[in-house]
């Protein structure tokens, strides 16, 4: 009997040891899996590092590339395109103006009424109109006849008595497709993008095509300004605040423009304007520098894109791409461990995670990060994720967003450095930066990434202060400017109507 008891005791002890060993093994394995995930996060943080020193290098690189792009065609990845806008709205504009904004498969028609007092826009009306699918691949006449007809209906509804009686009106045309500008009011279409493919339009003056269509519809309207949306944002910002000298769009895509001295545009020697200035469209999405903190995820995203080795800056900072960078990091972690369960085929789908949804995870303030859990389930089909893993996802979003916002801040300061408005110039006989006599400088900003994403906006502002210092940063103001492609275009039509 004693031997039986001893045998049982030994068996129980053996089983207990086996169970304990299994528990320990699972814990060790779990720790090993988690350590691999933590290593991936640490590598991401190090690769995305944006110290003040590094950001200042990006500031300098942006200013250098701007100089190079102004010196010669092809001298820089920054195109530094002439807009021929040499006269920004000053508040004295009067009358009824119209604007067309064609930049996607929808277009908008706007009208504003001005009475000549800065910041006083008496009326503003806008209508957004979808373009029928068949017109995207039809003929230029078909597309512009549809646009002109829609404009005529808009005018009829607005009861513009002078226009209805045949009086001439001026119009600003925001045309967001690659165009070679010949003057403030004309430009040739280089190529279509965004789903349009109208062969007989390529190489033609888009203003002439629109004016002919309006004439066919009985409208006496002249296009006095052909612009892109960034230039319109600058115009509207300057109308409300005369210290506005640059504009940045930070949304799905990104771009910037600013007011440059004509004598600094070396590639167009002899260029004369009455103001001595001209707005330059930087096309800054294509900016590149070895100082940009590029990761393996950026490299893979660029390789998989339709335009590899192009728009490098945009792919690190714009709303089109931030969500997909986060997805790629989560995918890598799921390959290293099972913290996201068995994984999901959706994790391998490019752009399945949009930046607005990513921002929602980043700004989840619930204690259990329930929004993160819901989004991982809805978007990726991952049903159950631990709290620790949810926190990890929020951290990934934070790293990617912080890098983007801080790089935008450096880009903006690169523009101001080129203009001599970043506080590093104008010192006479003093060494302290606090003694710099810096002008109040306003940058107009448009785009959902800045206006709707609180964390992005806060990181951007923090970086401006870190780079400039508080004494200088207080002179640099970012102002949200909405509907530059509409109101701004109409204002530019007014300010250039006498030319």
């Amino acid at each position: 009997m004693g031997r039986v008891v001893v045998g049982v005791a030994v068996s129980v002890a053996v089983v207990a040891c086996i169970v304990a060993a299994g528990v320990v093994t699972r814990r060790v394995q779990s720790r090993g899996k988690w350590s691999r995930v933590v290593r991936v996060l640490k590598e991401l943080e190090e690769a995305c590092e944006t110290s003040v020193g590094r950001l200042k290098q990006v500031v300098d690189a942006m200013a250098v590339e701007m100089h190079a792009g102004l010196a010669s065609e092809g001298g820089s990845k920054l195109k530094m395109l002439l807009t021929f806008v040499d006269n920004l709205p000053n508040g004295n504009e009067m009358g009824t103006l119209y604007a067309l904004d064609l930049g996607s498969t929808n277009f908008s028609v706007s009208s504003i009424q001005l009475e000549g007092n800065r910041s006083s826009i008496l009326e503003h009306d806008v209508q957004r109109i979808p373009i029928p699918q068949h017109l995207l691949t039809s003929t230029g006449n078909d597309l512009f006849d549809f646009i002109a007809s829609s404009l005529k209906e808009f005018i009829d509804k607005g009861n513009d008595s002078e226009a209805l009686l045949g009086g001439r009106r001026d119009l600003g045309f925001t045309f967001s497709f690659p165009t070679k500008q010949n003057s403030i009011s004309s430009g040739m279409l280089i190529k279509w993008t965004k789903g349009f493919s109208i062969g007989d339009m390529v190489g033609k003056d888009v203003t002439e095509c629109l004016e002919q269509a309006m004439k066919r519809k009985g409208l006496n309207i002249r296009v006095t300004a052909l612009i892109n949306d960034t230039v319109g944002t600058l115009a509207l910002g300057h109308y409300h605040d005369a210290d506005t000298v640059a504009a940045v769009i930070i949304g799905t895509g990104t771009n910037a423009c600013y007011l440059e001295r004509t004598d600094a545009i070396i590639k167009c020697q002899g260029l004369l304007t009455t103001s001595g200035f001209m707005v330059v469209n930087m096309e800054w999405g294509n900016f590149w520098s070895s100082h940009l903190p590029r990761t393996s995820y950026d490299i893979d995203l660029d390789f998989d894109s339709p335009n590899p080795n192009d728009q490098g800056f945009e792919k690190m900072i714009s709303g089109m791409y931030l969500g997909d960078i986060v997805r790629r990091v989560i995918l890598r972690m799921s390959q290293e461990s099972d913290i996201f369960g068995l994984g999901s085929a959706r994790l391998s789908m490019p752009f399945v995670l949009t930046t607005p949804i990513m921002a929602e995870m980043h700004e989840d303030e619930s204690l259990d990060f329930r929004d993160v859990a819901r989004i991982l389930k809805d978007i990726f089909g991952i049903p159950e994720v631990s709290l620790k893993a949810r926190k990890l996802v929020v951290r990934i979003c934070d790293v990617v967003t912080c890098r983007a916002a801080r790089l935008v801040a450096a880009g903006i300061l690169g523009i101001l450095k080129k203009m001599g408005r970043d506080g590093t110039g104008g010192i006479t006989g003093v060494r302290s930066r606090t003694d710099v006599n810096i002008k109040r400088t306003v940058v107009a900003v448009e785009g959902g990434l800045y206006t709707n994403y609180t964390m992005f906006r806060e990181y951007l502002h923090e970086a401006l202060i870190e780079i400039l210092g508080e004494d200088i940063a207080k002179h640099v103001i970012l102002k949200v400017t909405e509907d530059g492609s509409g109101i701004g275009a109409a204002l530019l039509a007014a300010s250039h109507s006498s030319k």
Side-chain angles (χ1 to χ4, degrees):
M1 183 68 179
R3 289 178 179 176
V4 172
V5 171
V6 171
V8 170
V10 170
S11 298
V12 169
V14 170
V15 170
C17 288
I18 292 172
V19 170
V23 170
V24 171
T25 300
R26 284 194 295 275
R27 284 178 179 172
V28 170
Q29 290 174 340
S30 177
R31 288 196 200 101
K33 291 174 182 176
W34 186 254
S35 67
R36 290 196 294 273
V37 168
V38 170
R39 186 174 67 249
V40 171
L41 176 61
K42 186 174 178 59
E43 290 172 353
L44 176 71
E45 290 173 333
E46 291 175 350
C48 289
E49 178 266 326
T50 50
S51 65
V52 173
R54 184 167 207 163
L55 291 177
K56 287 181 177 179
Q57 290 176 318
V58 175
V59 170
D60 291 342
M62 179 67 79
V64 167
E65 289 299 311
M66 291 172 70
H67 275 286
L70 290 172
S72 63
E73 292 293 348
S76 165
K77 275 188 167 286
L78 292 177
K79 293 188 174 100
M80 306 301 285
L81 302 174
L82 302 187
T83 64
F84 297 91
V85 173
D86 61 350
N87 183 26
L88 288 173
N90 58 20
N92 295 322
E93 293 78 15
M94 298 184 68
T96 299
L97 289 304
Y98 290 95
L100 286 174
D101 179 11
L102 178 61
S104 68
T105 53
N106 293 295
F107 75 97
S108 66
V109 185
S110 306
S111 68
I112 64 171
Q113 187 177 340
L114 305 170
E115 65 172 6
N117 295 323
R118 183 182 295 279
S119 302
S120 178
I121 297 176
L122 291 181
E123 291 184 19
H124 173 224
D125 191 17
V126 60
Q127 181 178 357
R128 288 176 175 80
I129 303 165
I131 298 175
Q133 190 68 28
H134 73 276
L135 292 181
L136 305 185
T137 55
S138 184
T139 66
N141 281 353
D142 288 343
L143 173 65
F144 281 98
D145 278 349
F146 174 77
I147 292 173
S149 293
S150 301
L151 175 61
K152 189 174 189 306
E153 290 177 13
F154 179 81
I155 293 173
D156 289 343
K157 290 178 183 176
N159 293 318
D160 181 353
S161 57
E162 185 172 336
L164 292 174
L165 293 172
R168 200 196 79 187
R169 292 297 193 197
D170 291 328
L171 177 142
F173 187 17
T174 303
F175 187 74
S176 299
F177 297 91
T179 305
K180 180 176 175 53
Q181 201 104 5
N182 304 313
S183 70
I184 176 59
S185 61
S186 66
M188 292 190 304
L189 174 66
I190 297 172
K191 66 177 180 179
W192 288 106
T193 57
K194 308 172 189 178
F196 285 80
S197 181
I198 303 174
D200 69 352
M201 275 288 301
V202 175
K204 288 188 176 180
D205 185 335
V206 293
T207 294
E208 185 178 341
C209 292
L210 175 60
E211 287 186 335
Q212 288 176 351
M214 291 189 295
K215 187 175 182 180
R216 287 195 292 271
K217 300 301 177 183
L219 294 173
N220 185 15
I221 295 179
R222 182 182 68 165
V223 176
T224 55
L226 176 67
I227 64 168
N228 72 9
D229 51 0
T230 317
V231 177
T233 299
L234 174 56
L236 181 55
H238 192 271
Y239 180 80
H240 288 304
D241 191 327
D243 290 332
T244 305
V245 295
V248 177
I249 290 182
I250 320 166
T252 304
T254 184
N255 194 14
C257 69
Y258 72 107
L259 201 56
E260 180 61 273
R261 300 188 333 270
T262 49
D263 61 5
I265 307 174
I266 301 171
K267 63 185 177 183
C268 292
Q269 288 185 338
L271 180 67
L272 297 175
T273 62
T274 53
S275 66
F277 290 89
M278 180 178 289
V279 176
V280 173
N281 169 20
M282 293 174 61
E283 293 293 333
W284 87 343
N286 208 36
F287 167 67
W288 188 253
S289 165
S290 60
H291 297 300
L292 292 173
R294 201 182 197 200
T295 70
S296 60
Y297 308 103
D298 300 304
I299 294 170
D300 292 341
L301 184 151
D302 180 59
F303 181 80
D304 294 338
S305 71
N307 56 340
N309 299 316
D310 199 21
Q311 298 297 105
F313 194 47
E314 181 172 75
K315 289 171 182 172
M316 298 176 77
I317 67 173
S318 78
M320 178 73 186
Y321 301 100
L322 298 188
D324 201 58
I325 295 172
V326 169
R327 176 196 66 82
R328 288 170 183 270
V329 179
I330 296 174
L331 174 61
R332 167 79 186 283
M333 288 183 171
S334 74
Q335 294 167 342
E336 292 286 335
S337 77
D338 59 0
I339 67 165
F340 296 108
L342 298 176
S344 166
R346 292 189 212 167
L347 273 173
S348 299
M349 295 173 59
F351 300 102
V352 68
L353 178 64
T354 63
T355 297
I357 298 298
M358 181 268 283
E360 193 176 343
M361 290 197 295
H362 187 195
E363 298 184 331
D364 183 357
E365 296 181 348
S366 62
L367 294 177
D368 59 353
F369 294 100
R370 65 177 67 97
D371 288 338
V372 176
R374 172 181 54 81
I375 290 168
L376 290 174
K377 180 179 179 181
D378 293 347
I379 301 298
F380 295 121
I382 303 173
E384 294 182 12
V385 179
S386 69
L387 180 59
K388 190 159 65 169
R390 287 177 231 168
K391 290 179 179 178
L392 188 68
V393 169
V394 174
R395 179 58 186 156
I396 296 167
C397 296
D398 189 69
V399 172
V400 172
T401 298
C402 182
R403 179 189 68 164
R406 290 171 71 81
L407 289 178
V408 171
I412 291 172
L413 292 182
I415 297 173
L416 301 189
K417 184 180 182 70
K418 168 66 181 68
M419 300 179 73
R421 299 184 75 134
D422 67 331
T424 59
I427 304 174
T428 55
V430 295
R431 293 184 179 181
S432 171
R433 292 187 70 194
T434 60
D435 294 328
V436 175
N437 181 20
I438 182 171
K439 296 178 180 179
R440 179 176 180 272
T441 297
V442 179
V443 179
V445 183
E446 188 168 2
L449 198 58
Y450 182 85
T451 57
N452 300 329
Y453 195 168
T454 303
M455 292 298 292
F456 183 96
R457 187 167 60 250
E458 289 179 355
Y459 280 137
L460 197 165
H461 289 174
E462 285 175 5
L464 289 176
I465 294 171
E466 286 180 34
I467 300 169
L468 292 175
E470 290 189 12
D471 291 327
I472 302 298
K474 65 186 179 184
H475 297 284
V476 176
I477 299 119
L478 304 188
K479 275 193 177 183
V480 173
T481 306
E482 298 181 353
D483 196 20
S485 55
I487 302 176
L491 288 170
L492 282 170
S495 60
H496 288 80
S497 62
S498 61
K499 295 189 176 184

